[in-house]
Amino acid sequence: MISQFFVLSQRGDNIVFRDYRGEVQKGSTETFFRKVKFWKEDGQEEAQAPPVFNVDGVNYFHVKVAGLLFVATTRVNVSPSLVLELLQRIARVIKDYLGVLSEDSLRKNFVLVYELLDEVIDFGYVQTTSTEVLKSYIFNEPIAVDAARLPPLGPAAIFMQGSKRMPGTAVTKSVIANEPAGRKREEIFVDIIEKISVTFSSSGYILTSEIDGTIQMKSYLSGNPEIRVALNEELNIGRGGRSLYDYRSSSGSGAVTLDDCNFHESVRLDSFDMDRTLTLVPPDGEFPVMNYRMTQEFRPPFRVNALIEEAGNLKAEVIIKVRAEFSSSITANTIVVQMPLPKYTSRATFELEPGAVGQAADFREVSKKLEWSLKKIVGGSENTLRAKLTFSQESHGNITKESGPVSMTFTIPMYNASGLQVKYLQIAKKSSSYNPYRWVRYVTQANSYVARL
Amino acid sequence: MTVGKDVSSLFTDVVNCMQTENLELKKLVYLYLINYAKSQPDLAILAVNTFVKDSQDPNPLIRALAVRTMGCIRVDKITEYLCDPLQRCLKDDDPYVRKTAAICVAKLYDINAELVEDRGFLESLKDLISDNNPMVVANAVAALAEIQENSSRPIFEITSHTLSKLLTALNECTEWGQVFILDALSKYKAADAREAENIVERVTPRLQHANCAVVLSAVKMILQQMELITSTDVVRNLCKKMAPPLVTLLSAEPEIQYVALRNINLIVQRRPTILAHEIKVFFCKYNDPIYVKMEKLEIMIKLASDRNIDQVLLEFKEYATEVDVDFVRKAVRAIGRCAIKLERAAERCISVLLELIKIKVNYVVQEAIIVIKDIFRRYPNTYESIIATLCESLDTLDEPEAKASMIWIIGEYAERIDNADELLESFLEGFPEEPPQVQLQLLTATVKLFLKKPTEGPQQMIQVVLNNATVETDNPDLRDRAYIYWRLLSTDPEAAKDVVLAEKPVITDDSNQLDPSLLDELLANIATLSSVYHKPPDAFVTRVKTTVQRTEDDDYPDGSESAESSAHVGDVITSPQASSSSVPAAARQADPAPAPAPVPDLLGDLMGLDNNAIVPVDQPSEPAGPPLPVLLPASTGQGLQISAQLIRRDGQIFYSLLFENNSPVALDGFMIQFNKNSFGLAAAGPLQVPQMQPGTSAGTLLPMVLFQNLSTGPPNALLQVAVKNSQQPVWYFNDKISLLAFFTEDGKMERANFLETWRSLPDSNEVSKDFPGAVVSNVETILDRMAASNLFFIAKRKHANQDVFYFSAKIPRGIPFLIELTLVVGVPGVKCAIKTPSPEMAPLFFEALETILKS
């Protein structure tokens, strides 16, 4: 069980503080913040504080959500995964209620937040983190903050970046608050969010590839109707004892093989083994219906080639090529390519392709990194960056070893790498005129997308 | 209020609002009361009536709210009135009220345990385990588990009946309730393999849960039951089932990943096969936080095998050229550890290391040299051909460990390095300025060189070194070692050769570095903090017992600064031994933080013992009884005399110290540090000695903790202590650990229990010893003395003309001693036989016993 829960801003200001057991002294917030800010171990230079540590007999847990530090303390030997998971959930519940999670919204709604905290935790024991269950105990109403001024949060936020696919306010509105008109809009969002990790060897082979996916749901349907989600029929779970090294044999047939998956507790799997459908009554709030993991080979959306070569005395040339290997009807956005350069690089000049729009390249002096950002890349296209480097000293003879690897971040809406699909989304409701909005959205993001030199 | 402003002056006004019908307002008033009732206990009574009334409100929310809030107010007058409403609410029709009441019993127990027992709340709570609402069951289980933890009596024991009830409830509980139940059930010991299999079967579906806490608690439960399952098929099958969920944990947020990795680290030490094929998932992502990367490396080393080593090496090589210095160092070290672990891969590892050295990045080279030294020790006479390459980097070395390693290599292979004498000579100039670690290696290396090449150059060098290391130094280790060499060389050079150039034992892989018994304990604590710190719970759990009054926060001085500087003294002591990379990385990772502030109630429950009263540590009290043994005579300590002894008082171990300042100057800034020892004794707080004017003395009781810095090897009584002050050099002295200070107050056994334990221990665990000189002239006194040392009398019987006495005792970690004393009153000669699960402790025990018999 936990002793205290608190939320700190990035500057260490106390935004929310609730003591459940009075076992830990009040100064814990400062002790914690000082420790996290100046984490040191074994005399190493600044390191990042691990999520769990002990100072003077008090155990501190923390997670960072939306730039805020969610912290819990305890004196006993609790389950750390429980506490960390709880912190994430509290953040999610608060976001469900407030619509946006930010210092501003927390301060404006502190009465509601404390009311929530009292129902979520009693005497340090978690009671519930289900927005649905909480609804019957919570009486305060959220005070809306201006969402437009705030940076969007979470993976789903990318849908709001100017694209006209859906109403922008939907994902930042509270599950509790009614529309100003007094009538709720009937809609349900299902997001298939995939984070992909790929490591290319220097010769362009794929060394490792992995997809971490989530089917996320957020329902604004009244009356909590039952929902059926159908996935690919040819969906296999478990690699069936085959070793990691020969999974190639399974690809190509259109079948999707997941290594492992797990489900939200509201999901009923009665017919999952039969026809790969999930049945559930979605609780209020945003929640993951299903998490999955896949190492089956897939076609990476980008091929990255990078080359660094010496070009005379104290000079070198870098060429980075990025080829988009997806259909031309799809566009990736907010692409950033980074490459660490040798420590003794003093200057870099760039040469973008003629006619390149929305591209910028920069040399970060302090971290000695080359950074190339592209607003968008259309499927099938290829982009190249050339850079000329100047060194302040002679290299030790192997500049390839002293630079790289090239890493890449990107977001591709309406694309998914695994091939997992929501075939249909069925909402059970008697009336024939009832036809709520259904949004099924796919998005793929880079997790660790790396090409070695 | 919530931002820290004191608004307690509004108390009466706020209480007046309490009777409102508005639920939002009521909640706020209650929140206010929780915060301020304690500071206004007299006014708090005003609220009682409303509380009691609310607890009978038709609205279940208000009933629950009243009980919940009353339980949070730690004011006696409120508590008195809590009992009746609580009794009602435990039997309420509404599950929301019942589940709130269940937690409230735990709150009440925290305030007044007796009241809970007297009013029969425990029974009501146990009834709730059979409640039809899973939320209520989960809270009842949580409350009972907490009460059990704080009680010495068996309150909540899981029988096979409760087990099956709870397993059924498991399926319907919320995710959090599932964790409570799984954690409570993990204490259950199945009767046989079949029962274990049944339990596992019902827990396995939890592995599919989206909540990581549920998954890890289920893993813990399965691992525990697996120990009982004999069928290898079942075990293999279970391993297969656990692997994917464990790997999936690594897709969660980095914070969860970290916890999962620390746990996986333990699991693969016990069952390496589970994840043997999954090494790829532990490859580092470039955007992993550093704490995740470090843990992944650790696991990669553990999973590295002849089959995957090529892949692994490729990764390590890549990491070794990354930006983060700490990560790079660890990656280089990892390559070395793989070389030591996998003989067939050693050559490939070395060629990777050589490649890295060629890049000439300073810290990579240094780290590589450190690991190559270990590789030479592991595979003597195999890879010396690379020495020449290493020597090229000599000038760039500036870290002590790397320097010491390089010097060791030069000394060890002096005969194969043509210019070994020149190389060593280049270091000699700076000898006095080098850190002790390097000085020691230089000394040894020069002696080796001289023995291998007894020519003129080395002879001159050795004289310089010996002179420097004996006359010019303050470091006793260095001086002692130098004198030994000196005498050896001057009396018998051949013998010196035998000693100095003796064949060294081959070192082994240290990647599974946890002690088996510690690993057992940690595995039993999977999915708890213990498994993240890799420390047993009693090493860091400091929860204050309910009986101890809490002090206000202002009373907590900041003890961290002095703790840090005293740790520095420790570095000096341990560094000579730590020249090889033997410090377990895990131990380093886990912050050595639990040096609690020197406040009595913080230290209260460090060892999990019952302590009714606590000795204030900041009040230097003269220890009663015989004078303390002198450990550092004034003649050695430049006038400072230190006497000390471990003592036990009120259930806690203290180091009783007496300082006498016979020097001409005032001494202050005292600090103390203990070297690794068999019991892991360490100071629980900074040493508190006031400034000492010449001619004065000061005594202090330093609270101690156990299992902090354990040394390996069979237990021995040696306790090496270093004391430092601002005016003098560091003083080192040895003390003997006496078990007398360790016997715990709860060592008394019931007769039946004693007999059963005696029978259950095999005869090989029995050790006996005669004390021919000891005479017992009065049975009463000896029994009193034994009892005073927590050796509890069980029974007595006559055997021929001899009296046979039985005693029981216990030392921390619950190791019992069963003692049989055979003697004839008034006749010299006492025979003692003991039985214990840890017979290696017997010599220490007999020493302690002898002290009692002879005193």
Side-chain angles (χ1 to χ4, degrees):
Chain A
M1 93 298 271
I2 66 170
S3 273
Q4 299 166 325
F5 166 81
F6 48 90
V7 181
L8 301 184
S9 75
Q10 239 156 3
R11 297 180 307 277
D13 299 336
N14 218 335
I15 303 174
V16 176
F17 178 91
R18 179 79 170 89
D19 195 327
Y20 290 103
R21 297 182 67 103
E23 299 167 325
V24 176
Q25 63 274 29
K26 286 224 183 61
S28 57
T29 52
E30 286 96 69
T31 314
F32 164 79
F33 191 69
R34 223 181 312 135
K35 195 81 186 171
V36 164
K37 194 92 200 203
F38 307 104
W39 182 261
K40 265 182 193 159
E41 203 166 272
D42 297 345
Q44 298 167 359
E45 306 99 89
E46 269 171 66
Q48 204 173 344
V52 186
F53 56 83
N54 181 310
V55 183
D56 292 341
V58 178
N59 304 297
Y60 295 86
F61 301 82
H62 73 279
V63 301
K64 258 188 210 157
V65 187
L68 301 169
L69 286 161
F70 283 69
V71 193
T73 63
T74 180
R75 282 190 176 274
V76 295
N77 191 20
V78 296
S79 159
S81 40
L82 178 133
V83 180
L84 292 169
E85 181 92 38
L86 170 65
L87 291 173
Q88 298 278 7
R89 296 295 184 88
I90 293 180
R92 195 187 296 161
V93 166
I94 294 180
K95 196 197 160 212
D96 279 343
Y97 269 85
L98 308 189
V100 236
L101 187 56
S102 69
E103 185 171 345
D104 195 28
S105 70
L106 282 175
R107 285 197 196 279
K108 277 218 173 96
N109 288 288
F110 80 96
V111 176
L112 170 60
V113 171
Y114 278 90
E115 191 182 10
L116 281 169
L117 287 178
D118 269 332
E119 293 299 338
V120 169
I121 301 172
D122 188 10
F123 201 46
Y125 292 100
V126 201
Q127 299 300 300
T128 179
T129 49
S130 153
T131 308
E132 173 77 20
V133 174
L134 282 168
K135 240 165 70 176
S136 33
Y137 313 130
I138 300 295
F139 296 91
N140 283 291
E141 296 226 341
I143 302 161
V145 289
D146 187 0
R149 285 205 338 259
L150 295 156
L153 307 163
I158 64 109
F159 295 113
M160 304 183 310
Q161 289 170 353
S163 81
K164 290 282 173 277
R165 279 199 183 85
M166 60 220 43
T169 54
V171 259
T172 56
K173 81 179 182 202
S174 161
V175 288
I176 308 306
N178 287 332
E179 289 288 286
R183 213 189 119 260
K184 265 171 77 174
R185 183 171 152 126
E186 295 283 316
E187 55 190 348
I188 181 166
F189 295 87
V190 178
D191 298 336
I192 294 90
I193 300 163
E194 297 193 340
K195 298 195 170 176
I196 58 178
S197 296
V198 177
T199 309
F200 295 100
S201 76
S202 51
S203 45
Y205 286 114
I206 296 172
L207 289 171
T208 58
S209 59
E210 191 186 25
I211 298 174
D212 284 330
T214 306
I215 301 181
Q216 196 120 314
M217 192 178 274
K218 194 165 189 176
S219 159
Y220 295 94
L221 301 177
S222 58
N224 291 346
E226 191 182 81
I227 288 178
R228 275 162 64 89
V229 179
L231 306 176
N232 310 31
E233 270 162 42
E234 278 186 89
L235 179 67
N236 306 315
I237 315 283
R239 291 199 309 268
R242 270 176 295 119
S243 117
L244 190 61
Y245 305 104
D246 58 13
Y247 54 70
R248 278 151 207 283
S249 58
S250 69
S251 62
S253 62
V256 175
T257 304
L258 304 179
D259 290 40
D260 187 34
C261 59
N262 56 45
F263 302 93
H264 187 264
E265 54 186 351
S266 67
V267 177
R268 289 209 321 278
L269 297 169
D270 308 340
S271 58
F272 184 68
D273 284 336
M274 290 276 296
D275 54 7
R276 296 302 184 208
T277 58
L278 309 170
T279 317
L280 69 155
V281 176
D284 280 343
E286 190 174 72
F287 69 101
V289 175
M290 169 181 175
N291 297 308
Y292 56 93
R293 185 166 55 77
M294 187 179 109
T295 51
Q296 179 193 3
E297 191 175 77
F298 60 90
R299 191 186 171 95
F302 292 102
R303 286 270 171 190
V304 187
N305 281 312
L307 193 69
I308 179 165
E309 265 180 347
E310 275 187 88
N313 189 26
L314 297 178
K315 278 192 167 46
E317 199 176 55
V318 176
I319 303 172
I320 305 177
K321 269 199 178 84
V322 173
R323 199 166 69 243
E325 304 216 305
F326 43 86
S327 139
S328 58
S329 61
I330 290 170
T331 306
N333 54 41
T334 51
I335 301 107
V336 179
V337 180
Q338 283 193 325
M339 174 173 164
L341 299 174
K343 295 264 176 313
Y344 40 80
T345 310
S346 57
R347 213 159 56 86
T349 54
F350 300 98
E351 190 186 316
L352 294 164
E353 281 172 305
V357 184
Q359 294 192 19
D362 195 9
F363 171 56
R364 305 252 175 238
E365 192 80 48
V366 184
S367 55
K368 301 287 181 200
K369 266 186 186 165
L370 173 162
E371 199 175 290
W372 177 24
S373 54
L374 300 91
K375 277 226 174 67
K376 55 182 183 180
I377 296 182
V378 179
S381 66
E382 184 175 284
N383 289 275
T384 311
L385 174 76
R386 286 166 194 278
K388 289 197 161 52
L389 311 181
T390 315
F391 295 150
S392 58
Q393 70 179 69
E394 203 134 339
S395 84
H396 298 310
N398 195 344
I399 50 172
T400 324
K401 281 245 153 53
E402 292 170 69
S403 40
V406 178
S407 60
M408 193 172 168
T409 58
F410 53 80
T411 301
I412 318 176
M414 300 327 277
Y415 174 87
N416 84 331
S418 67
L420 185 82
Q421 282 176 327
V422 172
K423 291 282 181 201
Y424 60 84
L425 184 69
Q426 206 174 55
I427 303 170
K429 196 106 181 200
K430 308 278 149 23
S431 147
S432 57
S433 62
Y434 182 69
N435 199 6
Y437 295 93
R438 287 166 243 203
W439 309 106
V440 178
R441 311 178 291 189
Y442 295 88
V443 62
T444 294
Q445 287 178 313
N447 183 8
S448 167
Y449 208 83
V450 171
R452 292 176 177 168
L453 288 180
Chain B
M1 179 170 81
T2 56
V3 291
K5 283 202 192 96
D6 186 7
V7 289
S8 60
S9 54
L10 302 173
F11 201 91
T12 342
D13 302 313
V14 176
V15 171
N16 282 338
C17 302
M18 201 171 157
Q19 292 191 15
T20 174
E21 291 297 307
N22 181 333
L23 213 56
E24 292 153 50
L25 185 57
K26 201 184 251 320
K27 281 189 176 182
L28 281 175
V29 175
Y30 279 10
L31 182 64
Y32 177 92
L33 282 175
I34 293 173
N35 274 289
Y36 290 113
K38 216 181 163 188
S39 60
Q40 309 269 359
D42 297 329
L43 293 174
I45 195 83
L46 295 174
V48 166
N49 261 332
T50 321
F51 272 135
V52 175
K53 206 174 116 240
D54 279 356
S55 75
Q56 299 176 50
D57 196 280
N59 183 344
L61 288 186
I62 295 183
R63 292 202 296 275
L65 190 61
V67 178
R68 187 171 81 197
T69 312
M70 281 178 94
C72 294
I73 299 178
R74 309 179 68 96
V75 172
D76 288 344
K77 284 175 191 141
I78 301 264
T79 312
E80 279 167 38
Y81 288 96
L82 171 59
C83 291
D84 292 329
L86 181 55
Q87 209 123 44
R88 271 197 307 273
C89 289
L90 280 166
K91 305 216 154 45
D92 202 287
D93 290 337
D94 191 288
Y96 180 74
V97 180
R98 289 202 302 279
K99 73 132 192 160
T100 311
I103 291 288
C104 195
V105 175
K107 292 180 188 170
L108 186 59
Y109 193 90
D110 193 41
I111 303 171
N112 189 339
E114 255 169 57
L115 203 58
V116 171
E117 293 180 20
D118 293 349
R119 297 290 297 259
F121 284 131
L122 292 178
E123 280 61 43
S124 316
L125 203 50
K126 281 182 203 163
D127 291 343
L128 290 186
I129 294 184
S130 317
D131 201 283
N132 55 17
N133 183 298
M135 276 287 278
V136 180
V137 178
N139 275 4
V141 168
L144 280 169
E146 174 174 334
I147 290 171
Q148 176 66 77
E149 198 147 294
N150 292 320
S151 168
S152 44
R153 293 193 308 117
I155 290 172
F156 180 45
E157 281 180 334
I158 295 176
T159 59
S160 58
H161 180 62
T162 35
L163 176 85
S164 75
K165 255 197 298 200
L166 290 178
L167 282 175
T168 315
L170 194 58
N171 292 327
E172 288 147 23
C173 263
T174 67
E175 43 194 335
W176 310 110
Q178 295 185 10
V179 179
F180 296 157
I181 292 179
L182 285 171
D183 285 350
L185 290 184
S186 69
K187 298 198 174 68
Y188 180 78
K189 299 268 172 298
D192 52 35
R194 251 191 60 202
E195 190 180 13
E197 277 179 50
N198 277 333
I199 296 174
V200 167
E201 197 172 312
R202 298 182 66 176
V203 173
T204 319
R206 299 295 124 215
L207 292 174
Q208 291 297 314
H209 206 287
N211 185 323
C212 301
V214 177
V215 174
L216 263 182
S217 288
V219 166
K220 170 194 192 164
M221 182 100 183
I222 295 173
L223 281 174
Q224 224 136 40
Q225 302 302 338
M226 257 163 85
E227 298 291 324
L228 282 169
I229 297 176
T230 40
S231 152
T232 46
D233 277 354
V234 177
V235 170
R236 196 180 317 127
N237 214 339
L238 282 174
C239 286
K240 222 188 243 167
K241 274 192 190 145
M242 271 192 290
L246 278 175
V247 173
T248 300
L249 293 178
L250 300 183
S251 310
E253 292 84 8
E255 292 90 0
I256 300 272
Q257 285 186 39
Y258 173 75
V259 171
L261 287 165
R262 295 290 285 174
N263 276 292
I264 289 173
N265 187 323
L266 295 174
I267 296 170
V268 296
Q269 286 188 49
R270 171 57 46 90
R271 299 191 180 273
T273 46
I274 291 188
L275 295 168
H277 299 297
E278 305 281 355
I279 193 157
K280 267 191 169 181
V281 302
F282 297 102
F283 288 0
C284 298
K285 302 199 165 101
Y286 85 98
N287 53 352
D288 281 337
I290 184 73
Y291 55 80
V292 167
K293 284 186 178 171
M294 292 295 202
E295 293 307 318
K296 283 188 171 172
L297 271 187
E298 209 46 57
I299 293 172
M300 283 170 74
I301 298 171
K302 290 201 165 67
L303 295 181
S305 66
D306 287 328
R307 249 189 49 221
N308 57 26
I309 186 69
D310 285 328
Q311 241 183 336
V312 171
L313 275 179
L314 208 65
E315 285 294 311
F316 285 159
K317 201 168 105 185
E318 205 54 49
Y319 304 158
T321 56
E322 279 201 21
V323 189
D324 190 303
V325 176
D326 293 327
F327 181 55
V328 169
R329 283 175 184 277
K330 185 137 180 159
V332 175
R333 220 167 255 236
I335 300 173
R337 281 170 60 186
C338 284
I340 291 166
K341 181 178 168 185
L342 305 168
E343 183 160 7
R344 276 195 277 174
E347 199 165 339
R348 277 170 278 170
C349 296
I350 287 187
S351 66
V352 171
L353 285 172
L354 286 178
E355 262 180 67
L356 291 173
I357 288 179
K358 281 187 193 129
I359 305 177
K360 291 206 189 297
V361 175
N362 190 350
Y363 50 85
V364 174
V365 174
Q366 310 216 38
E367 209 62 37
I369 285 179
I370 295 168
V371 294
I372 287 177
K373 174 209 67 183
D374 289 341
I375 296 175
F376 282 165
R377 294 241 9 219
R378 171 74 172 80
Y379 309 106
N381 307 317
T382 323
Y383 300 111
E384 283 75 15
S385 52
I386 66 170
I387 290 176
T389 323
L390 301 185
C391 289
E392 288 166 20
S393 317
L394 210 57
D395 320 331
T396 58
L397 305 180
D398 55 8
E399 288 164 28
E401 200 181 350
K403 248 186 186 176
S405 303
M406 191 65 221
I407 293 169
W408 181 86
I409 293 174
I410 299 174
E412 187 67 18
Y413 300 103
E415 72 273 22
R416 304 186 198 196
I417 306 171
D418 292 335
N419 57 345
D421 42 350
E422 282 169 37
L423 294 176
L424 277 183
E425 206 167 2
S426 64
F427 285 105
L428 284 184
E429 230 166 87
F431 189 91
E433 285 81 46
E434 295 289 357
Q437 195 182 357
V438 178
Q439 288 180 333
L440 283 167
Q441 282 310 332
L442 259 178
L443 171 64
T444 307
T446 320
V447 173
K448 284 181 186 163
L449 172 71
F450 172 71
L451 289 171
K452 288 176 176 177
K453 294 184 182 170
T455 53
E456 199 179 322
Q459 187 158 3
Q460 271 170 3
M461 283 164 67
I462 197 120
Q463 262 155 10
V464 176
V465 172
L466 286 177
N467 187 45
N468 262 320
T470 52
V471 187
E472 312 268 317
T473 180
D474 284 337
N475 181 342
D477 286 327
L478 182 63
R479 200 168 48 215
D480 285 358
R481 199 189 282 194
Y483 274 125
I484 290 173
Y485 285 144
W486 199 328
R487 273 177 212 150
L488 267 175
L489 290 171
S490 54
T491 45
D492 187 352
E494 278 311 303
K497 244 181 207 173
D498 289 346
V499 172
V500 179
L501 304 179
E503 213 159 285
K504 276 165 263 320
V506 170
I507 59 166
T508 49
D509 162 39
D510 65 345
S511 57
N512 288 346
Q513 69 285 78
L514 286 178
D515 177 60
S517 64
L518 179 61
L519 181 61
D520 278 342
E521 195 175 352
L522 294 180
L523 279 167
N525 278 301
I526 285 279
T528 69
L529 273 175
S530 185
S531 66
V532 173
Y533 297 149
H534 291 186
K535 281 182 188 174
D538 46 7
F540 65 90
V541 172
T542 57
R543 185 148 172 258
V544 190
K545 275 278 161 74
T546 49
T547 44
V548 180
Q549 191 63 46
R550 297 187 177 103
T551 47
E552 287 307 310
D553 29 322
D554 305 301
D555 294 353
Y556 292 85
D558 187 359
S560 59
E561 200 179 323
S562 47
E564 256 168 47
S565 35
S566 69
H568 185 70
V569 183
D571 292 344
V572 181
I573 307 182
T574 48
S575 52
Q577 285 91 336
S579 60
S580 81
S581 60
S582 63
V583 183
R588 287 194 197 174
Q589 279 290 309
D591 187 48
V599 173
D601 58 350
L602 263 180
L603 300 167
D605 192 35
L606 272 183
M607 307 320 303
L609 302 172
D610 274 327
N611 41 348
N612 307 317
I614 287 161
V615 182
V617 284
D618 46 358
Q619 230 175 59
S621 53
E622 282 298 320
L628 299 168
V630 176
L631 298 179
L632 179 78
S635 52
T636 320
Q638 296 179 2
L640 174 70
Q641 175 161 306
I642 304 177
S643 330
Q645 192 172 22
L646 284 170
I647 60 158
R648 183 177 195 84
R649 209 175 267 189
D650 302 311
Q652 185 164 358
I653 302 171
F654 291 92
Y655 203 45
S656 173
L657 289 140
L658 181 68
F659 295 87
E660 289 165 66
N661 183 3
N662 300 323
S663 77
V665 292
L667 301 175
D668 63 4
F670 280 91
M671 281 188 253
I672 192 163
Q673 185 73 28
F674 298 86
N675 199 355
K676 287 187 180 169
N677 55 74
S678 299
F679 294 91
L681 276 167
L687 183 63
Q688 307 227 326
V689 180
Q691 194 190 40
M692 290 174 65
Q693 295 305 325
T696 59
S697 66
T700 183
L701 283 179
L702 175 70
M704 303 287 284
V705 288
L706 289 167
F707 312 120
Q708 285 292 307
N709 47 353
L710 284 165
S711 62
T712 48
N716 64 61
L718 184 65
L719 179 65
Q720 294 174 313
V721 190
V723 171
K724 184 190 142 176
N725 58 53
S726 311
Q727 285 74 27
Q728 298 180 317
V730 181
W731 301 117
Y732 301 88
F733 55 86
N734 290 342
D735 193 2
K736 242 174 129 170
I737 300 173
S738 165
L739 269 196
L740 285 179
F742 288 73
F743 296 125
T744 57
E745 282 66 16
D746 63 346
K748 189 161 178 62
M749 273 189 188
E750 293 308 315
R751 267 177 99 137
N753 190 358
F754 182 91
L755 283 172
E756 195 184 312
T757 317
W758 184 279
R759 276 194 220 108
S760 69
L761 288 167
D763 284 341
S764 55
N765 280 27
E766 183 170 340
V767 191
S768 61
K769 183 172 165 126
D770 284 311
F771 299 95
V775 194
V776 174
S777 45
N778 184 338
V779 174
E780 288 303 312
T781 34
I782 205 78
L783 288 187
D784 284 349
R785 246 186 262 151
M786 298 281 267
S789 302
N790 291 334
L791 296 162
F792 298 98
F793 175 70
I794 306 270
K796 175 186 163 181
R797 69 180 171 98
K798 278 258 179 217
H799 179 71
N801 63 334
Q802 293 172 313
D803 285 322
V804 187
F805 297 88
Y806 293 93
F807 299 87
S808 73
K810 213 189 241 181
I811 60 172
R813 293 213 171 145
I815 302 174
F817 284 91
L818 311 179
I819 306 138
E820 180 191 73
L821 282 189
T822 313
L823 56 93
V824 179
V825 175
V827 178
V830 175
K831 181 174 188 284
C832 173
I834 60 164
K835 258 193 170 181
T836 169
S838 310
E840 68 279 3
M841 291 281 182
L844 287 172
F845 178 83
F846 290 130
E847 260 174 55
L849 185 67
E850 199 165 6
T851 323
I852 297 180
L853 290 175
K854 289 195 173 155
S855 63

